[in-house]
């Protein structure tokens, strides 16, 4: 009996060892469960987290405040963020950077660069010849790009979230303005990579706000469509969004609530900052008048004094929103001279009269893009700090023709809460109630190519073709496939933005280049020579507009078809041979779709050319990929760009054709890519 017991003891040790390993794995997993969101505004940011036991909580910063100024002070050996940097802005305005998001993805000749220099002349912007962008020149040996500065801010937000959650955090959802184009979105992704964050999604801030509103009012959503307008005036810009809420039937989860972005309008420069700058200019003029005759210098030439005036203008704007007048006062503004002046709300409204005239603009843009009228809008809800200005509310109320404006949402934290809900939905560690999100494309994207055609015997001419990939206000994420049927040799095609006629002349200048990239395909002719007896099914280019609104070209294939003799028990079939040519930005197999709150569109359609019709016999098809899920599911963001070769894509193609004979394996061709807009 004793021998029997001794023989069992080693087994018990093994069992306890296995239990210890499992517990260690569970503890390690629990340390990485938390996810975060960053609502990145022009003036301040809000950080939220989700972790076990803490559902959707706003992070408090080191000063126990719920929002943190987006300000960075850079010195030779130290950096300051948030409120600490804001206090340093008076002492060292040149090294204190703010509102730098306006420079993301902008080339040096962009009007916003000149506007930034005019607003903040204390900063020295230098030209980067390699990237055609600008740097902040802090000192002779210290310079940073706007993306690097944003990366520092995101890393600081991560540290705040980790301190609050008491565990490391890597996964994040970051909000961006809906009007950000491809270059601006990629700049934010680059900054997040510098901060060591894994971006689950770049979510538009208006979509995040709409999601937060819907999540907390899930019971009010039914099968009848409800059209809600969100008017968001922040510090740097204004966005108006029309959202439709409705219960829809999904493939896997049954009836679930859905929000669909129907219309969007925006003004890139209309916001609280411009009001504060005008107040600052007014206060500077009053101070100069008080010192007239004393041979004093212009206060505008003193960066420290102007930083003090901007801080006072911010406070004055807030106070005048609730009071008819207020006394502006700054102790020791310049040369130990105190400043004191009375400013009334009437004066403030006169200073910003032309700004208030622009308030209805985004509303009209949103209605036009949604093809709706104001009668179809059930409620107008205010979002953003600048909507607290009484004159803004008066003009907006008159423009929308409603009895009152909705104020039943947290104007400061709604986007952060919506983004963190989406972060939990995209994370593998949490299970949330599905909420289908159908976001909309703001800037259409098309493919352009030129082909030689024979109009008459012996007479050749070049024909320019356009095919719309992603139309304006069309839903995304989406995958599209465009097929070139008339090419048997190497050729090029261009990926450009589509019709941007809805933008004004100044907005077009700010938008920048309308060419995204040029794709040069090589090896097409060789693939045709390799399969001379096979029927070509065209050159297929696979495009992906992911959840972040970032476009990528996953792969390009030359597809051939031939008749294969099958065995006696199987009928003859047509077998496609994929000839993987390239991927524009790196690709690979698409991960399995994961159930979350984002809806992926699936439908097959041919897209007509813009401004021209196909000639007889020419078939350039534009279809959506069939493997995309129908409802209540989306795919995680694709692998980040890795150059112009796609070994993963080649492996995927070989895996798909693994059951085929050796003679049917595709040959790999090469593609060289010239990048412009990205």
């Amino acid at each position: 009996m004793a021998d029997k017991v001794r023989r069992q003891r080693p087994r018990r040790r093994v069992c306890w060892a296995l239990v210890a390993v499992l517990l260690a794995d569970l503890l390690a997993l629990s340390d990485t469960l938390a996810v975060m969101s960053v609502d990145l505004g022009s003036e301040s940011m809000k950080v939220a987290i989700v972790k076990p036991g803490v559902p959707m909580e706003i992070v408090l910063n080191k000063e126990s405040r719920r929002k943190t100024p987006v300000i960075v002070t850079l010195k030779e050996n130290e950096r300051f963020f948030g409120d600490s940097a804001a206090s340093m802005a008076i002492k060292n305005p040149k090294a204190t950077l703010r509102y730098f998001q306006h420079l993301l993805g902008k080339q040096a000749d962009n009007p916003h660069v000149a506007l930034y220099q005019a607003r903040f002349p204390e900063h020295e912007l230098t030209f980067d010849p390699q990237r055609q962008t600008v740097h902040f020149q802090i000192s002779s040996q210290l310079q940073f790009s706007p993306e690097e500065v944003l990366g520092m801010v995101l890393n600081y937000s991560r540290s705040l979230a980790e301190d609050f959650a008491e565990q490391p955090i890597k996964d994040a959802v970051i909000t961006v303005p809906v009007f950000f184009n491809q270059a601006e979105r990629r700049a934010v992704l680059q900054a997040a990579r510098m901060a060591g964050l894994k971006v689950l999604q770049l979510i538009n801030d208006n979509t995040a706000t709409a999601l937060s509103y819907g999540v907390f009012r899930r019971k009010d959503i039914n099968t009848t469509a409800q059209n809600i307008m969100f008017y968001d005036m922040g510090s740097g810009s204004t966005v108006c969004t029309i959202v439709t809420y409705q219960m829809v039937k999904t493939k896997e989860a049954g009836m679930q609530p859905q929000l669909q972005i129907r219309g969007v309008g925006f003004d890139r420069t209309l916001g609280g900052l411009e009001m504060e700058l005008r107040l600052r200019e007014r206060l500077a003029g009053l101070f100069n008048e008080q010192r007239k005759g004393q041979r004093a210098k212009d206060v505008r030439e003193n960066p420290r004094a102007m930083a003090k005036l901007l801080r006072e203008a911010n406070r004055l704007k807030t106070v005048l929103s609730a009071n008819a007048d207020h006394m502006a006062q700054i102790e020791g503004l310049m040369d130990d001279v105190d400043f004191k002046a009375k400013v009334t709300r009437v004066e403030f409204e006169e200073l910003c009269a032309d700004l208030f005239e622009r308030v209805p603009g985004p509303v009209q843009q949103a209605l036009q893009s949604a093809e709706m009228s104001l009668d179809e809008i059930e409620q107008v809800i205010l979002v953003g700090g600048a909507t607290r200005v009484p004159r803004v509310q008066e003009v907006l109320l008159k423009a929308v023709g409603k009895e009152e404006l909705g104020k039943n949402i947290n104007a400061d934290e709604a986007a952060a809460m919506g983004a963190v809900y989406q972060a939990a939905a995209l994370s593998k560690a949490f299970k949330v109630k599905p909420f289908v999100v159908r976001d909309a494309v703001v800037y259409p994207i098309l493919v352009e190519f030129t082909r030689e055609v024979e109009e008459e015997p012996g007479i050749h001419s070049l024909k320019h073709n356009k095919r719309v990939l992603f139309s304006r206000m069309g839903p995304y994420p989406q995958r599209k496939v465009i097929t070139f049927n008339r090419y048997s040799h190497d050729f090029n095609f261009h990926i450009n933005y589509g019709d941007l006629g809805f933008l004004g002349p100044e907005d077009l200048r700010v938008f920048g280049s309308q060419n995204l990239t040029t794709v040069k395909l090589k090896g097409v002719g060789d693939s045709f020579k390799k399969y001379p007896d096979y029927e070509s099914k065209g050159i297929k280019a696979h495009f992906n507009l992911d959840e972040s609104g970032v476009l990528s070209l996953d792969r390009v294939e030359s597809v051939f078809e031939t008749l294969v003799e099958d065995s006696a028990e199987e009928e003859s079939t047509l077998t496609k041979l994929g000839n993987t040519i390239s991927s524009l930005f790196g690709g690979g197999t698409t991960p399995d779709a994961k159930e979350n709150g984002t809806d992926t569109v699936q439908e097959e359609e041919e897209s007509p050319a813009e401004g021209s019709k196909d000639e007889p016999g020419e078939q350039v098809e534009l279809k959506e990929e069939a493997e995309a899920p129908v409802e209540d599911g989306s795919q995680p963001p694709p692998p980040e760009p890795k150059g112009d070769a796609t070994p993963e894509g080649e492996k995927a193609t070989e895996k798909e054709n693994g059951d085929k004979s050796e003679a049917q394996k595709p040959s790999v061709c090469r593609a060289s890519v010239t990048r412009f807009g990205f």
Side-chain angles (χ1 to χ4, degrees):
M1 184 68 179
D3 293 341
K4 186 176 181 181
V5 171
R6 280 196 295 270
R7 284 197 299 270
Q8 288 178 349
R9 283 175 182 171
R11 297 178 186 174
R12 292 177 182 176
R13 294 193 191 102
V14 171
C15 292
W16 282 111
L18 290 174
V19 171
V21 171
L22 290 174
L23 287 175
D25 290 342
L26 289 174
L27 290 173
L29 180 62
S30 65
D31 289 338
T32 58
L33 285 181
V35 294
M36 63 179 285
S37 72
V38 184
D39 177 22
L40 199 62
S42 297
E43 184 178 66
S44 61
M45 66 179 177
K46 277 73 66 179
V47 182
I49 66 163
V50 172
K51 75 170 188 176
V54 182
M56 297 174 61
E57 179 67 27
I58 295 291
V59 171
L60 302 181
N61 61 18
K62 296 178 180 178
E63 290 76 21
S64 297
R65 296 178 180 175
R66 297 173 73 87
K67 67 178 181 179
T68 304
V70 183
I71 306 178
V72 184
T73 299
L74 301 171
K75 292 187 175 182
E76 293 294 338
N77 299 318
E78 54 185 346
R79 297 181 297 186
F80 300 90
F81 299 94
D83 293 290
S84 301
S87 62
M88 295 289 294
I90 308 300
K91 301 177 183 178
N92 195 350
K94 181 180 179 180
T96 303
L97 308 179
R98 59 178 74 186
Y99 300 104
F100 47 83
Q101 303 98 309
H102 299 172
L103 302 178
L104 291 172
K106 303 288 194 307
Q107 293 191 345
D109 58 351
N110 194 289
H112 265 201
V113 176
L115 178 63
Y116 187 91
Q117 192 74 77
R119 287 174 167 178
F120 307 102
E122 64 271 16
H123 296 316
E124 182 182 354
L125 298 179
T126 57
F127 178 66
D128 181 359
Q130 182 177 2
R131 301 175 67 240
Q132 302 295 310
T133 57
V134 293
H135 277 126
F136 289 104
Q137 193 73 37
I138 308 300
S139 64
S140 58
Q141 298 180 343
L142 202 63
Q143 65 178 17
F144 297 98
S145 67
E147 291 80 8
E148 290 174 322
V149 179
L150 180 58
M152 299 176 194
V153 172
L154 291 176
N155 187 57
Y156 177 69
S157 70
R158 176 185 176 183
S159 67
L160 292 178
E162 290 180 339
D163 291 343
F164 192 81
E166 299 179 340
Q167 61 179 271
I169 298 178
K170 291 185 178 180
D171 297 344
V173 169
I174 304 174
T175 69
V176 294
V178 66
F179 50 76
F180 263 22
N181 58 26
Q182 294 291 313
E184 292 166 311
R185 291 174 186 270
R186 289 182 177 274
V188 176
L189 290 175
Q190 180 184 7
R193 285 195 293 271
M194 294 179 187
L197 287 174
K198 177 186 176 182
V199 179
L200 300 176
Q201 181 180 349
L202 292 182
I203 186 171
N204 295 330
D205 47 14
N206 62 336
T207 305
T209 300
L211 179 58
S212 175
Y213 181 86
V215 165
F216 290 106
R217 291 162 180 80
R218 181 184 292 265
K219 295 181 180 179
D220 299 333
I221 302 174
N222 50 47
T223 54
T224 303
Q226 305 174 38
N227 300 319
I228 307 295
M229 176 181 288
F230 295 91
Y231 192 88
D232 181 3
M233 181 181 287
S235 176
S237 60
T238 299
V239 175
C240 181
T241 310
I242 298 176
V243 183
T244 298
Y245 294 95
Q246 190 175 12
M247 294 293 291
V248 297
K249 187 175 182 180
T250 60
K251 185 176 181 180
E252 296 179 359
M255 297 296 293
Q256 296 296 338
Q258 170 187 277
L259 73 85
Q260 181 177 1
I261 305 298
R262 299 289 300 279
V264 175
F266 57 85
D267 190 326
R268 278 180 177 256
T269 56
L270 177 61
L273 173 61
E274 185 61 30
M275 300 178 192
E276 294 168 16
L277 292 171
R278 296 192 180 192
L279 269 176
R280 181 184 71 169
E281 187 65 22
R282 173 64 173 167
L283 297 178
L286 291 175
F287 183 74
N288 286 335
E289 288 179 7
Q290 293 178 5
R291 305 188 67 197
K292 188 179 295 184
Q294 301 179 17
R295 296 182 179 179
K297 292 182 179 179
D298 189 346
V299 68
R300 298 178 182 87
E301 298 176 1
N302 189 316
R304 289 188 178 182
M306 293 301 285
K308 293 179 181 179
L309 286 173
L310 183 60
R311 183 175 63 181
E312 181 64 13
N314 180 282
R315 187 184 72 86
L316 195 61
K317 183 197 72 174
T318 303
V319 174
L320 288 177
S321 297
N323 299 273
D325 56 65
H326 189 67
M327 190 67 68
Q329 46 189 346
I330 303 174
E331 184 177 346
L333 176 57
M334 189 175 73
D335 299 333
D336 295 327
V337 177
D338 297 339
F339 170 63
K340 190 174 184 179
K342 183 179 181 180
V343 180
T344 66
R345 183 190 292 178
V346 174
E347 290 180 77
F348 170 63
E349 291 178 353
E350 290 176 353
L351 288 173
C352 305
D354 61 316
L355 298 180
F356 298 138
E357 292 176 357
R358 292 160 54 185
V359 168
V363 175
Q364 299 302 323
Q365 293 178 25
L367 290 172
Q368 291 175 4
S369 60
E371 298 180 349
M372 299 173 67
S373 65
L374 283 170
D375 296 335
E376 301 175 67
I377 305 299
E378 297 184 12
Q379 191 177 11
V380 179
I381 297 177
L382 297 179
V383 188
T387 56
R388 297 187 178 98
V389 176
R391 186 60 179 163
V392 171
Q393 296 184 19
E394 293 174 11
V395 176
L396 180 61
L397 187 61
K398 183 179 179 181
V400 299
K402 301 295 181 182
E403 295 183 0
E404 60 179 358
L405 300 173
K407 302 176 184 178
N408 53 348
I409 191 172
N410 190 323
D412 291 324
E413 299 178 357
M417 297 302 285
V420 79
Y421 186 89
Q422 184 72 351
L426 295 174
S427 172
K428 297 179 180 179
F430 299 95
K431 181 72 173 179
V432 300
K433 292 182 179 180
F435 203 110
V436 183
V437 179
R438 290 169 64 91
D439 214 328
V441 178
V442 176
Y443 306 119
I445 298 176
L446 53 80
V447 170
E448 298 187 37
F449 55 95
T450 302
R451 191 178 64 79
E452 186 179 83
V453 297
E454 186 176 0
E455 296 181 350
E456 298 180 10
I459 301 178
H460 296 268
S461 63
L462 295 178
K463 181 183 178 182
H464 189 71
N465 298 275
K466 295 182 181 180
R467 296 293 180 273
V468 177
L469 277 176
F470 304 100
S471 59
R472 174 164 164 76
M473 302 315 300
Y476 78 88
Q478 280 196 79
R479 291 177 175 273
K480 291 281 187 81
V481 180
I482 183 171
T483 304
F484 302 93
N485 284 318
R486 301 296 297 272
Y487 284 99
S488 59
H489 52 79
D490 298 351
F491 67 98
N492 307 337
F493 62 88
H494 309 276
I495 307 173
N496 301 328
Y497 289 105
D499 182 16
L500 300 179
F502 59 94
L503 297 178
E506 186 63 25
D507 288 332
L508 280 174
R509 292 184 59 208
V510 172
F511 187 85
S513 173
Q514 296 186 33
N515 174 247
L516 288 170
T517 193
T518 298
V519 183
K520 298 181 179 180
L521 296 179
K522 294 183 179 179
V524 179
D526 295 338
S527 65
F528 276 82
K529 293 178 181 178
K530 188 167 185 178
Y531 303 102
D533 300 330
Y534 295 8
E535 180 185 359
S536 172
K537 290 300 179 180
I539 313 297
K540 296 183 181 293
H542 298 255
F543 295 89
N544 178 26
L545 191 65
D546 64 16
E547 292 87 347
S548 299
V550 177
L551 176 69
S552 60
L553 177 57
D554 290 340
R555 64 189 185 277
V556 183
E557 301 172 326
S558 180
V559 180
F560 296 88
E561 199 172 78
T562 185
L563 190 63
V564 178
E565 294 293 338
D566 291 337
S567 58
E569 57 271 10
E570 293 183 358
E571 296 179 358
S572 60
T573 178
L574 290 176
T575 305
K576 287 187 177 180
L577 297 178
N579 184 17
T580 303
I581 295 181
S582 175
S583 169
L584 179 56
F585 301 112
T589 57
T590 303
D592 293 334
K594 174 184 176 298
E595 182 178 314
N596 57 34
T598 306
D599 180 48
T600 304
V601 179
Q602 176 196 5
E603 58 182 69
E604 290 195 1
E605 59 180 8
E606 291 190 8
S607 175
E610 282 190 353
S612 65
K613 295 182 179 179
D614 291 339
E615 65 178 37
E618 182 177 8
Q619 299 177 2
V620 181
E621 299 177 0
L622 179 60
K623 295 185 178 181
E624 299 195 13
E625 287 192 335
E627 56 260 31
V630 178
E631 288 283 2
D632 190 34
S634 72
Q635 297 162 347
E640 294 170 354
K642 298 180 181 178
D644 60 358
T646 56
E648 294 181 4
E650 294 167 14
K651 292 177 182 178
T653 305
E654 292 175 3
K655 184 177 179 181
E656 292 172 0
N657 297 297
D659 298 331
K660 300 177 183 178
S661 62
E662 190 71 19
Q664 295 174 343
K665 289 186 178 180
S667 62
V668 179
C669 301
R670 293 168 288 111
S672 63
V673 178
T674 305
R675 299 182 184 179
F676 291 92
F678 289 174

